[in-house]
Amino acid sequence: MAVYALLLGIEDYSGLSLPDLASASADLSLMRKALETNLKIQEENIRVPGEEEGLRIRAEDLALSMASFQRLLQREDVLVFYFSGHGNGKSLFFSDGPVSLRSVIAFMAELPCKSVLMILDCCHAGNFLVPEQPLPDLEESLSDFAGRGIAVMASSAADQKSRLSEAGGASVFTLAFTRASEEKRLVRRGRISLQDLFDETAFRMELWNRRHPEKAQHPVFRSAMGGTLFFPVKDAPEREKIPVSFETSSCLAVSVKPMNASDARRLCVFVIPKGRADGGKSGGSRPKEVKDETLAAMTWEIVLSLLEMPEERLYPGNRRLKGKETGAVWCYFAGDRSDLGESLYFAVCIWAGSPEMKRRYYREDRHSHVTDGILVQRNISYSMLKEMQCREMTGEVCLSEYGKLLSGIVEMAETFIRDLQETENGLISTAELKERYGPWAKRVRAMYIRLSDAGRPPEHLYEWTEGIFDLAGWVLDLSLYLDRESLKEERDLWLIRNALRHYYESMEALAGLEEKAGIRRSRDVL
């Protein structure tokens, strides 16, 4: 994937009855620096026509530039188009006259690349529509859908002018966007998302509006893109959260997760005894034959391994309890990986590191006993629940059934997100959104139940189906937040934005899992 940019700043309007725009030069300088330095677009991939002619750019120059990009762009490439100049809501004005904004957007949408981002900094820029939203197709992989399409970010609403900053020189919007791109807190897993860029830009514009209500301008964002666009940031300051897994002599710790607690550090470990880590195909002890003493010994092996690990590996980014020791560890023992997918455990063992923790967690009963300093809790319903699990799906059936559910979930999410954008743009009220999407929220919950009732996937597709559950969970959260009576409150709108951010990240991660599993347009991994 290559990322290209076409930056148009028009200063010379001497041939029209419009004032020249001295801000165009400063806007171009800021945007070029932001794209190169913050979004890591290579300098040679950024085109800035008209610099040698005093930023006099004709409509023909746009046509020539786009013809060049038509020959250059490949299917997986990204194009950023930036315009700083005059506009009236219907047209973008070049040095020799207007060009229809609708025709420019339509042309950009047909370029032979994966993603197009248009950034418009001109008066009345928000008076536009985008093409129909692409919907997921069972015949294409999610990686083909995610990020494919066009998104348009505009500096002002349809009835607003675009202003210069207090210091003069550059425009308020371009300055807000470029400063948003500098925000290190937007970097997540080494990337900055387009949605986060717009949200931060809108936040900075709101600060301007509060100081200058007479010069208020509200940026507009509309997208006809699957998911969102991510810009890779090579020198991301955020440390990757590497999943923790390890082996001992007797078991496999599949994953380790910190628990939220205000007074102590605690860990959950999901464990499969050796001989069961392959899904039971290699034999090994049946869960009911694993004695309490053996489970206690496995737990001690796990605890001792964890206590030797660096704090930052087990609790990445958690500074609140920095320096405190791990106080307790829960080990959830599964018979095989399919049990992990069903959250089905034949035993749970707890290690507590202090007398206080022991008093809190070591409670014995008929099925819970302290053995060698470890509380061992047996799940007496394990065998019955195991038998109730449906027969494992074949790869073909799993891909078909889960693929249909995935397409349905993504289609519902993308439909909602498009109207959510119009709520942010001020064209749909939160009350209208709630009324319009009340039935939608019920369909989301019904779809999630169908997903929960789907059959057990084969081992090689387990991780992929877990990714679908993760994505669907964030769509479910969107529907739950929509039902809140307090939706108008900023806190609840933040919860929706946060769920949306995780939805985009889950889609990108799931696309990566499809690539890893070899799932292509035919959805055939065999």
Side-chain angles (χ1 to χ4, degrees):
M1 178 193 82
V3 184
Y4 297 93
L6 175 62
L7 311 184
L8 301 181
I10 304 174
E11 186 173 293
D12 185 352
Y13 285 98
S14 57
L16 302 176
S17 57
L18 293 171
D20 289 348
L21 278 182
S23 60
S25 179
D27 287 345
L28 283 177
S29 179
L30 284 172
M31 186 60 69
R32 176 187 278 172
K33 181 180 178 182
L35 297 184
E36 286 184 26
T37 305
N38 305 329
L39 301 187
K40 305 303 179 185
I41 300 178
Q42 296 180 12
E43 180 182 2
E44 59 270 23
N45 288 350
I46 299 176
R47 311 285 174 83
V48 187
E51 285 188 300
E52 297 178 356
E53 301 178 30
L55 296 182
R56 177 177 175 79
I57 302 177
R58 301 162 299 171
E60 181 184 3
D61 297 323
L62 171 66
L64 291 172
S65 295
M66 296 318 302
S68 173
F69 275 112
Q70 274 189 310
R71 295 189 295 270
L72 176 67
L73 292 169
Q74 302 296 313
R75 176 176 170 78
E76 296 302 312
D77 291 343
V78 176
L79 175 66
V80 178
F81 172 85
Y82 170 75
F83 177 87
S84 173
H86 284 299
N88 65 2
K90 295 182 179 179
S91 302
L92 303 178
F93 282 86
F94 289 77
S95 295
D96 59 344
V99 174
S100 165
L101 175 57
R102 178 184 295 181
S103 66
V104 173
I105 292 175
F107 184 86
M108 293 285 179
E110 295 299 321
L111 287 171
C113 58
K114 184 170 187 178
S115 312
V116 174
L117 168 61
M118 296 181 65
I119 305 172
L120 306 176
D121 193 350
C122 57
C123 293
H124 314 292
N127 187 33
F128 68 88
L129 296 174
V130 291
E132 282 298 311
Q133 181 95 0
L135 295 176
D137 185 345
L138 281 173
E139 296 304 315
E140 68 175 347
S141 68
L142 195 61
S143 60
D144 283 332
F145 173 76
R148 187 168 300 284
I150 185 171
V152 184
M153 189 185 301
S155 60
S156 56
D159 59 349
Q160 293 176 329
K161 293 182 178 180
S162 293
R163 310 285 184 170
L164 292 180
S165 62
E166 292 174 293
S171 76
V172 176
F173 173 77
T174 294
L175 188 61
F177 176 87
T178 56
R179 287 183 176 172
S181 71
E182 297 171 358
E183 278 290 346
K184 301 302 182 186
R185 61 184 171 80
L186 299 187
V187 179
R188 298 167 63 87
R189 297 180 177 87
R191 303 169 304 172
I192 297 178
S193 78
L194 173 58
Q195 185 64 50
D196 283 346
L197 268 177
F198 176 75
D199 287 345
E200 180 66 22
T201 302
F203 169 74
R204 291 174 176 274
M205 291 301 300
E206 183 58 29
L207 295 179
W208 162 271
N209 293 340
R210 291 175 186 176
R211 293 195 304 268
H212 307 278
E214 76 285 357
K215 297 180 180 179
Q217 61 182 90
H218 298 91
V220 172
F221 180 71
R222 293 189 177 100
S223 171
M225 179 181 289
T228 193
L229 177 61
F230 289 90
F231 293 94
V233 181
K234 295 179 183 177
D235 58 350
E238 180 177 304
R239 184 173 300 179
E240 287 289 332
K241 296 179 182 179
I242 302 172
V244 178
S245 62
F246 59 92
E247 288 188 58
T248 69
S249 62
S250 59
C251 59
L252 172 64
V254 178
S255 66
V256 179
K257 297 180 180 179
M259 299 174 65
N260 291 324
S262 59
D263 59 342
R265 288 188 154 173
R266 305 164 197 175
L267 295 169
C268 288
V269 188
F270 300 91
V271 188
I272 301 176
K274 285 283 181 72
R276 310 299 303 178
D278 61 351
K281 297 173 185 176
S282 65
S285 300
R286 297 176 63 188
K288 68 179 181 180
E289 295 172 350
V290 182
K291 296 181 180 180
D292 287 2
E293 293 79 5
T294 303
L295 288 172
M298 290 180 181
T299 302
W300 273 114
E301 282 189 307
I302 290 169
V303 169
L304 293 175
S305 297
L306 291 172
L307 294 179
E308 293 177 356
M309 291 184 185
E311 174 183 327
E312 184 58 31
R313 187 181 178 197
L314 294 174
Y315 304 96
N318 188 336
R319 300 181 181 276
R320 182 165 50 85
L321 298 174
K322 186 175 177 60
K324 288 190 174 292
E325 296 181 353
T326 298
V329 176
W330 278 255
C331 292
Y332 292 83
F333 285 88
D336 52 37
R337 286 186 181 271
S338 67
D339 284 354
L340 292 177
E342 300 288 338
S343 297
L344 179 60
Y345 310 105
F346 67 85
V348 178
C349 294
I350 303 175
W351 168 84
S354 67
E356 180 185 355
M357 289 289 185
K358 286 182 170 67
R359 285 193 298 272
R360 186 182 301 184
Y361 299 122
Y362 284 13
R363 299 182 180 180
E364 296 185 273
D365 56 29
R366 287 180 57 196
H367 308 294
S368 302
H369 305 281
V370 176
T371 303
D372 298 331
I374 302 293
L375 181 70
V376 180
Q377 300 175 321
R378 291 281 183 172
N379 179 6
I380 61 171
S381 301
Y382 174 81
S383 297
M384 178 185 69
L385 294 172
K386 188 72 173 176
E387 290 178 3
M388 290 172 61
Q389 284 183 343
C390 62
R391 183 175 55 85
E392 183 178 285
M393 291 176 159
T394 64
E396 183 179 357
V397 171
C398 178
L399 288 169
S400 175
E401 292 192 12
Y402 276 90
K404 290 176 182 177
L405 291 168
L406 173 61
S407 290
I409 291 164
V410 171
E411 181 174 342
M412 286 192 291
E414 297 291 327
T415 301
F416 171 72
I417 289 168
R418 187 155 186 171
D419 277 350
L420 179 64
Q421 289 173 355
E422 297 306 335
T423 303
E424 299 281 358
N425 293 336
L427 297 182
I428 297 177
S429 69
T430 53
E432 289 176 300
L433 189 72
K434 283 174 64 72
E435 182 178 359
R436 185 178 300 183
Y437 282 91
W440 171 89
K442 293 179 181 178
R443 290 198 301 272
V444 168
R445 289 164 212 164
M447 182 72 78
Y448 192 83
I449 292 172
R450 284 179 58 195
L451 182 63
S452 301
D453 291 340
R456 182 158 56 93
E459 178 73 13
H460 66 286
L461 292 176
Y462 166 75
E463 195 173 7
W464 176 65
T465 57
E466 282 296 288
I468 294 175
F469 270 103
D470 186 50
L471 181 144
W474 292 112
V475 181
L476 180 65
D477 281 354
L478 285 173
S479 73
L480 295 175
Y481 295 143
L482 187 65
D483 269 353
R484 286 175 176 251
E485 291 297 326
S486 57
L487 181 61
K488 292 182 181 180
E489 295 180 9
E490 184 59 32
R491 177 180 178 274
D492 292 297
L493 293 174
W494 180 89
L495 289 171
I496 286 182
R497 294 189 197 104
N498 187 58
L500 182 60
R501 178 182 297 113
H502 284 289
Y503 164 75
Y504 287 143
E505 291 176 352
S506 297
M507 179 181 290
E508 194 75 5
L510 184 55
L513 289 174
E514 287 196 346
E515 292 292 327
K516 179 181 176 181
I519 300 172
R520 298 293 186 267
R521 290 178 179 81
S522 64
R523 292 200 178 275
D524 184 5
V525 300
L526 302 176

